[in-house]
């Protein structure tokens, strides 16, 4: 296999810019699986077409970029590599023409390759010159020796090897220089350890055949644990060369005829949690009953736990069992939580008095009309068995501190964080003293507002760091200190939201010298910065600008990282730099063709809506925009968009919504207004924002009556359907997969999940906040189908008959209403497609027809023949009628 070398370069020039077309939309590429080598010198990634096709050869090519020489090695047919020998080599699995797998070793940076020719797998240990793996040695019928496993330790430089026989499990420690392993013996297995080449010491000798089989090991503390017969629990220390029996499960006083299942030993071996199951049931459950298949009845019962569309056989086979706690120190057994509940144990507690459990039993049936199934929180005194409800209708699971002393829990009704003391059982409000809300302030759904969240914990477990809308707050769980703003109020003063960034090194537990990489997002400019936050609350800027940043991963020593940034004009190309973002190197430039096309610009615009509130939205212009000319305007929206100012919009075929850049490049202005909803009046909320924003554009001379189109899909499809019943300001409208009748929508079932749609209306996106019978008039007044006779706007409706989210009949009903009223309307049903178009050919067709529809009404182009003549059954697939009728 040849190795191809390439150098990253850009285009020196380009031809006259042109509007995007269908073929251009299919040419855009993306970066897949970016990774950085352990030392940070090498970066790997793959490139794929955004519109995937069977001929996408680029996706089968691995790019290997040398950050020192700025050159690439291309590896055809390779999807993943692993580095070793301090990044001086890599290996990967190759499959030849016969289907045989081969391991290829490659020297770096030369690219010289050789095949691993040994029986055992290649498994290099970083920091050593060895490959270590287990080889299965078959039975020797001549020498009459049984099959066994052999641990082979091979020096991959000298090709020499030594081995340890009958090793079934092993762990390396001391940076790979030492080993602990289980050796299989005829009588009982042994746990041994020592330097990699020996000599080895025996730490434990079992008298039970074939046990133990495995062990846990903390490579820093050099201690661990293992089980024998799933009954004897041992811990050991390699430093002290000791192995101790912690306890014997047989000594636990469980009732006769019961068997322990799902056992879990706490971190410090202080207590054991488990469930008890009748032994007879264990045997009974192994036998699956065969159903009568002569007929199948689906029975719907009014008060059952869940409707048949949600029932899954696997869930009905599993059993809910009571949970128990065994205190190893005192030898006391307590039933901690009833069946049907979830036990929350403080795993790292040195002392234990109280545990928590959650019980969703009172709310299980309500999952059909609530966003999340609530649960009550109980405490259990494991000394006395006393139980007490300490939280009602919670939505997020309480979290124990690192030291297991306190649990932190968010009360969604009171909208405060509470602390539960694991020794006293008391509940304390820890967030009201902050003086600012700790829940999502822009939440506009009927469900309770969720908390802003937890950033993490101090390493000693005595403090938790929680978010408000802008800053971090340090809460002293010991109660000695008052809550302090960890970020010194910087976020609120500057209108910047400070949040932890996600990468391969982000963590929840912060040591005293920790430096946390955080994002600072400016709510006014929408710019983002990447900063370091130390444990004294000080911020240090690494990079900042009119971009959105993503950090992919860091090298093992955290000195280097790979990342991307994006905005309206800059694609999410891959960058490498030091971890402080200095010395950045742009690795990729995978969409140079962008320079050949008329692109777009974007800005945030602001106006006063009909609720007399400030309203924002995004306004996209062609890059060659001339304010003296009139442009068609496409109004397209969903919920809020202004926060996405610095988002790159790759031109793609439309699977639902109109592609922003495709329309902008073809001479449209695209307006995306933010919509903030009032519960109970989603349609009116949309009207107040969208229509007021559109009229503002007319007043500014940006939009012109007769040249304004409207487009939406799914939830915004509903809004578009509502809007055209209330205004004639839009020349035409495209509506995708809409709910047009809230009555039947509320009483429908999502075909994909099988979940009744009540929850959509009572707690989530549809934002009615009431049952149908509590707000009959509101359900009717917010239904477009009831006011269809008011529609004077030509409609292009797209709704597919296999839609798993919104019933196809909803979009079809609006078409039928328009047909009966003899108003211009077209319904596109891509047979067999779902809520979004997955078929590439269907996406092309929808992209073409949607553009032709808007061009006809907003640009006064000739009418496409499909709009004039329709496509009858005998013409389907034969004549698509894209051609325009010329008068």
């Amino acid at each position: 296999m040849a190795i191809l070398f390439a150098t990253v370069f850009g285009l020196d020039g380009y031809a006259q810019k042109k509007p995007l077309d269908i073929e251009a939309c299919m040419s855009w590429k993306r970066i897949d699986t970016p990774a950085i080598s352990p030392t940070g010198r090498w970066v790997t990634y793959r490139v794929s077409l955004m519109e995937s096709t069977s001929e996408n050869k680029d996706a089968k090519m691995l790019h290997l970029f040398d950050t020192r020489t700025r050159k690439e090695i291309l590896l055809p047919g390779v999807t993943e590599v692993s580095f070793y020998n301090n990044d001086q080599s890599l290996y990967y699995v190759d499959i030849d023409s016969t289907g045989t797998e081969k391991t290829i070793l490659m020297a770096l940076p030369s690219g010289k390759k050789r095949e691993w020719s040994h029986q055992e797998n290649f498994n290099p240990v970083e920091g050593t010159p060895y490959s270590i793996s287990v080889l299965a040695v078959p039975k020797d019928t001549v020498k009459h020796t049984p099959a066994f496993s052999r641990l082979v330790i091979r020096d991959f430089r000298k090709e020499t090897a030594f081995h340890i026989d009958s090793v079934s499990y092993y762990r390396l420690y001391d940076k790979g220089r030492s080993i602990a392993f289980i050796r299989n013996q005829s009588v009982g297995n042994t746990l041994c350890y020592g330097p990699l080449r020996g000599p080895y010491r025996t730490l434990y000798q079992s008298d039970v055949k074939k046990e133990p089989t495995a062990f846990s090991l903390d490579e820093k503390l050099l201690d661990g644990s293992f089980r024998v017969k799933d009954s004897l629990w041992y811990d050991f220390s390699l430093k002290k060369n000791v192995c101790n029996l912690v306890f014997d499960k047989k000594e636990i006083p469980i009732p006769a005829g019961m068997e322990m299942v799902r056992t879990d030993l706490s971190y410090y071996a202080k207590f054991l949690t488990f469930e008890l199951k009748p032994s007879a049931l264990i045997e009974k459950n192994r036998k699956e009953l065969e159903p009568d298949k002569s007929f199948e009845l689906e029975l719907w019962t009014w008060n059952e736990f869940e409707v048949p569309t949600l029932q899954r056989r696997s869930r009905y086979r599993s059993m809910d069992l009571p949970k128990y706690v065994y205190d190893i120190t005192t030898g006391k057994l307590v039933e901690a939580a009833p069946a049907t509940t979830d036990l929350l144990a403080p795993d790292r507690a040195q002392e234990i008095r109280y545990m928590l459990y959650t019980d969703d039993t009172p709310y299980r049936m309500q999952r059909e009309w609530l966003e999340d199934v609530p649960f009550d929180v109980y405490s259990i005194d494991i000394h006395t068995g006393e139980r007490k409800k300490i939280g009602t209708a919670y939505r997020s699971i309480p979290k124990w501190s690192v030291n297991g002393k306190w649990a932190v829990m968010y009360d969604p009704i009171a909208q405060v964080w509470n602390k539960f003391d694991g020794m006293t059982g008391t509940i304390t409000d820890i967030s009201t003293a902050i003086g600012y809300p700790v829940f999502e302030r822009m939440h506009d759904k009927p469900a309770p507002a969720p908390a802003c969240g937890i950033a993490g914990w101090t390493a000693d477990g005595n403090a938790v760091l929680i978010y408000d809308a802008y800053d971090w707050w340090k809460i002293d769980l010991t109660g000695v200190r008052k809550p302090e703003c960890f970020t010194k109020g910087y976020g609120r003063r500057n209108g910047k939201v400070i949040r932890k960034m996600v990468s391969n090194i982000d963590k929840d537990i912060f040591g005293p010298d920790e430096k946390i990489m955080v994002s600072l997002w400016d709510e006014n400019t929408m710019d983002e910065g990447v900063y370091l936050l130390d444990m004294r609350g000080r911020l240090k800027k690494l990079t900042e600008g009119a971009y959105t940043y993503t950090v992919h991963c860091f090298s093992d020593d955290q000195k280097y990282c790979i990342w991307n940034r994006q905005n309206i004009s800059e694609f999410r190309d891959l960058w490498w730099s030091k971890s402080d973002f200095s010395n950045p190197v742009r690795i990729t430039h995978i969409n140079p063709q962008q320079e050949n096309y008329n692109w777009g610009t974007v800005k945030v615009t602001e106006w006063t809506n009909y609720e007399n509130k400030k309203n924002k939205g995004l306004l996209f212009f062609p890059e060659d925009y001339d304010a003296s000319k009139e442009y068609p305007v496409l109004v397209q929206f969903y919920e809020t968009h202004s926060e996405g100012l610095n988002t790159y919009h790759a031109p793609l075929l439309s699977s639902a919504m109109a592609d922003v850049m495709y329309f902008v490049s073809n001479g449209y202005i695209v307006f995306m207004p933010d919509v903030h909803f009032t519960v109970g009046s989603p349609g009116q909320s949309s009207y107040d924002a969208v229509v007021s924003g559109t009229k503002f554009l007319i007043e500014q001379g940006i939009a012109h009556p007769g040249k304004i189109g409207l487009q939406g899909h799914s939830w915004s499809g509903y809004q578009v359907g509502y809007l055209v019943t209330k205004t004639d300001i839009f020349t035409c409208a495209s509506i995708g997969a809409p709910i047009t009748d809230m009555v039947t929508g509320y009483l429908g079932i999502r075909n994909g999940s099988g979940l009744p749609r009540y929850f959509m209306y009572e707690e989530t996106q549809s934002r009615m906040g009431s049952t149908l019978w509590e707000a009959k008039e509101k359900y009717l007044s917010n239904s477009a189908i009831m006011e269809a006779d008011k529609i004077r706007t030509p409609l292009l409706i797209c709704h597919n008959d296999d839609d798993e989210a919104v019933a196809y009949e909803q979009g079809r009903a609006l078409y039928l209403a328009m047909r009966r009223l003899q108003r211009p309307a077209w319904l596109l049903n891509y047979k067999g497609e779902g809520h979004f178009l997955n078929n590439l050919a269907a996406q092309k067709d929808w992209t073409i027809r949607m553009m032709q529809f808007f061009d006809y009404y907003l640009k006064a182009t000739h009418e496409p023949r499909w709009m004039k003549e329709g496509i009858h059954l005998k013409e389907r697939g034969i004549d698509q009628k894209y051609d325009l009728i010329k008068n």
Side-chain angles (χ1 to χ4, degrees):
M1 185 185 298
I3 303 172
L4 307 177
F5 290 84
T7 303
V8 177
F9 61 90
L11 294 178
D12 293 324
Y14 50 84
Q16 181 66 38
K17 292 192 175 184
K18 52 191 177 182
L20 290 161
D21 56 18
I22 295 293
E23 293 306 312
C25 290
M26 296 185 64
S27 71
W28 247 253
K29 298 177 180 179
R30 69 172 187 264
I31 296 168
D32 291 334
T33 60
I36 192 169
S37 67
T39 69
R41 174 173 177 174
W42 299 90
V43 175
T44 61
Y45 63 95
R46 293 184 294 115
V47 176
S48 302
L49 286 170
M50 287 191 174
E51 299 289 5
S52 59
T53 66
S54 58
E55 300 177 357
N56 190 1
K57 297 179 181 179
D58 287 343
K60 301 175 182 178
M61 177 81 73
L62 188 77
H63 297 245
L64 177 63
F65 182 84
D66 188 338
T67 62
R68 293 185 187 175
T69 65
R70 312 289 170 85
K71 292 183 177 180
E72 280 192 342
I73 299 175
L74 304 182
L75 299 174
V78 177
T79 57
E80 185 180 7
V81 298
S82 297
F83 294 88
Y84 68 100
N85 195 22
N86 201 34
D87 279 6
Q88 297 179 59
S89 307
L90 64 79
Y91 69 100
Y92 59 88
V93 175
D94 190 21
I95 301 177
D96 64 19
S97 58
T98 66
T100 303
E101 288 189 355
K102 297 179 179 180
T103 299
I104 306 299
L105 313 186
M106 177 186 289
L108 296 173
S110 68
K112 184 178 180 181
K113 295 188 294 184
R114 64 186 176 93
E115 182 181 336
W116 179 254
S117 56
H118 304 288
Q119 280 186 299
E120 76 275 8
N121 293 330
F122 184 65
N123 183 30
V125 179
E126 195 56 51
T128 75
Y130 298 115
S131 167
I132 303 178
S133 59
V134 176
L135 177 68
V137 179
K139 178 180 179 180
D140 189 328
T141 55
V142 176
K143 297 181 179 181
H144 304 289
T145 57
F148 63 92
S149 56
R150 168 174 289 167
L151 184 69
V152 180
I153 305 167
R154 187 177 300 277
D155 188 322
F156 51 71
R157 300 170 306 176
K158 301 176 182 179
E159 294 292 327
T160 57
F162 62 96
H163 60 263
I164 312 171
D165 282 346
S166 301
V167 172
S168 60
Y169 183 84
Y170 72 95
R171 291 281 301 275
L172 299 176
Y173 62 96
D174 190 23
K175 296 182 179 180
R177 293 189 288 263
S178 300
I179 187 171
F181 58 89
I182 289 176
R183 174 176 277 162
N184 298 333
Q185 308 247 0
S186 58
V187 177
N189 293 350
T190 59
L191 174 58
C192 306
Y193 72 101
L196 199 56
R197 283 185 169 271
Y200 312 117
R201 303 179 69 176
T202 298
L203 187 68
Y204 173 81
Q205 170 73 60
S206 175
D207 58 1
V208 179
K209 192 174 182 180
K210 295 183 180 181
E211 290 201 34
T213 58
F215 57 86
S216 65
L217 177 67
D218 187 316
E219 294 180 26
K220 291 183 179 180
L221 300 177
L222 296 184
D223 56 24
S225 63
F226 61 88
R227 307 182 197 181
V228 176
K229 297 179 67 176
D230 199 30
S231 175
L232 303 172
W233 294 59
Y234 289 85
D235 63 17
F236 62 85
S237 170
L238 301 184
K239 280 184 178 180
K240 300 177 182 179
N241 188 37
V242 294
C243 182
N244 299 308
L245 175 64
V246 179
F247 70 95
D248 184 347
K249 281 171 48 177
K250 291 180 180 178
E251 297 175 355
I252 300 176
I254 63 173
M258 304 295 285
E259 185 170 332
M260 296 168 62
V261 295
R262 303 187 186 116
T263 56
D264 186 26
L265 182 66
S266 68
Y267 184 82
Y268 293 108
K270 297 291 184 180
F271 57 88
L272 181 74
T273 59
F274 56 90
E275 297 177 5
L276 283 182
K277 187 174 188 178
S279 301
L281 284 181
I282 294 176
E283 188 62 35
K284 182 179 178 181
N285 282 355
R286 290 175 183 154
K287 299 177 181 179
E288 187 71 26
L289 297 176
E290 289 295 325
D292 179 358
K293 295 183 179 179
S294 61
F295 72 98
E296 184 174 1
L297 170 67
E298 181 181 271
L299 176 63
W300 297 59
T301 306
W302 70 276
N303 61 349
E304 60 189 328
F305 160 47
E306 57 188 3
V307 294
T309 51
L310 289 174
Q311 294 173 9
R312 302 289 183 269
R313 290 189 184 276
S314 59
R315 188 161 61 247
Y316 282 81
R317 279 199 298 264
S318 63
M319 292 186 63
D320 290 321
L321 300 170
K323 286 76 177 170
Y324 291 80
V325 175
Y326 176 67
D327 189 321
I328 295 171
T329 304
T330 64
K332 188 168 186 178
L333 177 66
V334 172
E335 182 180 340
T340 74
T341 65
D342 292 316
L343 181 66
L344 306 175
D347 181 63
R348 290 177 177 257
Q350 290 279 16
E351 296 181 72
I352 181 171
R353 176 67 185 267
Y354 288 93
M355 288 187 178
L356 300 176
Y357 67 87
T358 62
D359 183 7
D360 66 357
T361 307
Y363 310 97
R364 285 188 176 182
M365 190 174 178
Q366 298 178 29
R367 69 176 297 200
E368 297 170 13
W369 55 85
L370 299 181
E371 181 177 18
D372 299 303
V373 179
F375 50 82
D376 296 331
V377 183
Y378 288 82
S379 65
I380 170 74
D381 185 329
I382 67 163
H383 293 173
T384 66
E386 181 185 3
R387 299 172 186 175
K388 180 182 179 181
K389 184 193 289 190
I390 61 171
T392 302
Y394 271 56
R395 301 290 184 107
S396 54
I397 300 293
K399 295 183 179 180
W400 284 100
S401 59
V402 182
N403 54 19
K405 293 182 178 180
W406 300 281
V408 173
M409 41 203 283
Y410 177 71
D411 185 332
I413 308 302
Q415 297 180 320
V416 298
W417 284 101
N418 290 323
K419 175 189 72 175
F420 174 78
D421 190 312
M423 290 303 295
T424 66
T426 56
I427 294 281
T428 307
D429 173 354
I430 58 173
S431 66
T432 298
I434 287 174
Y436 298 109
V438 291
F439 54 87
E440 293 185 7
R441 57 198 173 101
M442 301 305 291
H443 185 78
D444 63 359
K445 296 176 183 176
C452 295
I454 293 178
W457 310 77
T458 56
D460 59 9
N462 290 333
V464 62
L465 297 168
I466 65 174
Y467 298 129
D468 73 4
Y470 299 97
D471 289 296
W472 296 29
W473 290 81
K474 185 176 182 180
I475 309 296
D476 178 19
L477 298 175
T478 67
V480 174
R481 298 180 181 87
K482 294 181 180 180
E484 62 174 296
C485 188
F486 186 67
T487 49
K488 319 297 185 187
Y490 182 88
R492 188 171 296 276
R493 282 196 310 274
N494 296 280
K496 294 187 177 184
V497 179
I498 305 174
R499 294 294 184 263
K500 188 171 57 176
M501 293 198 79
V502 176
S503 73
N504 66 319
I505 66 166
D506 69 307
K507 55 180 69 173
D508 296 325
I509 302 171
F510 309 129
D513 298 324
E514 201 79 48
K515 288 182 172 60
I516 311 162
M517 184 168 282
V518 295
S519 158
L520 269 69
W521 180 77
D522 192 309
E523 66 178 359
N524 296 309
T525 66
M526 316 299 171
D527 294 351
E528 186 177 20
V530 181
Y531 286 65
L532 284 182
L533 174 65
D534 68 21
M535 293 309 290
R536 295 174 64 182
R538 296 176 299 188
L539 289 161
K540 178 184 178 182
K541 183 175 72 173
L542 302 181
T543 187
E544 195 165 37
Y547 300 100
T548 296
Y549 291 89
T550 300
V551 178
H552 293 290
C553 51
F554 289 79
S555 57
D556 285 357
D557 58 10
Q558 299 184 22
K559 290 183 178 180
Y560 305 97
C561 63
I562 54 175
W563 47 276
N564 69 45
R565 67 186 190 189
Q566 62 175 308
N567 60 23
I568 184 66
S569 59
E570 184 172 324
F571 176 74
R572 302 174 290 275
D573 275 301
L574 193 60
W575 292 73
W576 171 94
S577 71
K578 292 184 177 179
S579 58
D580 63 0
F581 282 68
S582 63
N583 302 330
V585 174
R586 184 173 180 170
I587 297 175
T588 65
H589 186 45
I590 64 171
N591 288 305
Q593 74 276 17
Q594 177 180 319
E595 298 297 328
N596 300 329
Y597 293 97
N598 183 32
W599 205 245
T601 62
V602 64
K603 71 174 185 178
V604 175
T605 188
E606 188 172 311
W607 69 97
T608 301
N609 65 25
Y610 292 152
E611 291 183 289
N612 202 31
K613 296 178 181 178
K614 292 294 183 182
N615 215 121
K616 291 181 179 179
L618 295 182
L619 201 53
F620 295 83
F621 297 93
E623 68 175 326
D624 60 356
Y625 175 70
D626 183 347
S628 65
K629 297 180 180 178
E630 291 188 2
Y631 289 78
V633 174
L634 178 63
V635 180
Q636 176 175 275
F637 60 94
Y638 197 80
E639 292 190 349
T640 62
H641 303 278
S642 58
E643 68 275 8
L645 174 68
N646 290 319
T647 299
Y648 181 87
H649 293 269
L652 300 171
L653 300 176
S654 294
S655 61
M657 303 282 278
D659 185 82
V660 171
M661 201 51 65
Y662 184 60
F663 272 79
V664 169
S665 181
N666 281 275
Y668 281 78
I669 294 171
V670 175
F671 178 44
M672 301 177 73
D674 291 347
V675 182
H676 298 282
F677 296 90
T678 298
V679 173
S681 304
Q684 186 63 41
S685 298
S686 181
Y687 180 91
D688 291 340
V690 177
V691 176
S692 66
T694 303
K695 289 190 175 179
F696 172 75
L697 296 188
I698 294 173
E699 293 167 2
Q700 297 296 308
I702 296 171
H704 304 274
K707 292 189 175 183
I708 307 172
L710 185 63
Q711 205 270 336
H713 178 87
S714 193
W715 174 234
S716 62
Y718 155 75
Q719 295 174 72
V720 170
Y722 178 90
L723 290 175
V724 294
T725 69
K726 304 300 179 185
T727 180
D728 296 331
I729 195 174
F730 302 105
T731 310
C732 60
S734 171
I735 304 177
I739 283 287
T740 59
D741 176 18
M742 280 203 168
V743 175
T744 54
Y746 175 84
L747 296 173
I749 287 180
R750 293 174 69 93
N751 292 330
S753 65
L755 191 63
R757 294 177 55 89
Y758 313 134
F759 77 100
M760 298 286 293
Y761 296 82
E762 295 185 39
E763 282 218 335
T764 64
Q765 192 176 65
S766 298
R767 294 173 169 89
M768 294 302 288
S770 306
T771 69
L772 169 62
W773 304 277
E774 292 169 331
K776 296 177 184 177
E777 293 304 317
K778 286 186 176 181
Y779 274 82
L780 292 174
S781 64
N782 277 281
S783 297
I785 204 72
M786 302 301 296
E787 301 290 327
D789 58 324
K790 307 287 197 311
I791 301 174
R792 298 290 186 272
T793 307
L795 302 181
L796 179 66
I797 306 165
C798 180
H799 208 156
N800 306 315
D801 55 11
D802 202 22
D803 192 319
E804 71 284 1
V806 179
Y808 164 63
E809 290 76 14
Q810 290 281 329
R812 188 179 66 184
L814 182 59
Y815 159 78
L816 289 171
M818 294 290 283
R819 175 181 173 83
R820 181 63 185 88
L821 293 165
Q822 283 296 283
R823 312 278 169 78
W826 294 261
L827 172 64
L828 279 63
N829 170 21
Y830 293 91
K831 302 285 287 183
E833 289 290 299
H835 197 58
F836 298 97
L837 296 174
N838 291 318
N839 182 289
L840 192 64
Q843 291 177 5
K844 286 183 183 179
D845 185 84
W846 172 231
T847 302
I848 291 169
R849 296 189 198 278
M850 180 164 41
M851 178 67 83
Q852 287 186 334
F853 173 77
F854 282 118
D855 281 354
Y856 173 70
Y857 281 106
L858 306 183
K859 286 187 174 181
T861 61
H862 293 294
E863 187 175 22
R865 195 155 53 89
W866 63 268
M867 288 177 62
K868 180 72 172 178
E869 300 176 0
I871 298 176
H872 304 294
L873 180 63
K874 64 181 180 181
E875 299 172 315
R876 290 181 194 171
I878 296 172
D879 186 358
Q880 301 295 0
K881 301 186 179 182
Y882 297 136
D883 50 303
L884 305 183
I885 300 172
K886 296 182 180 179
N887 298 328

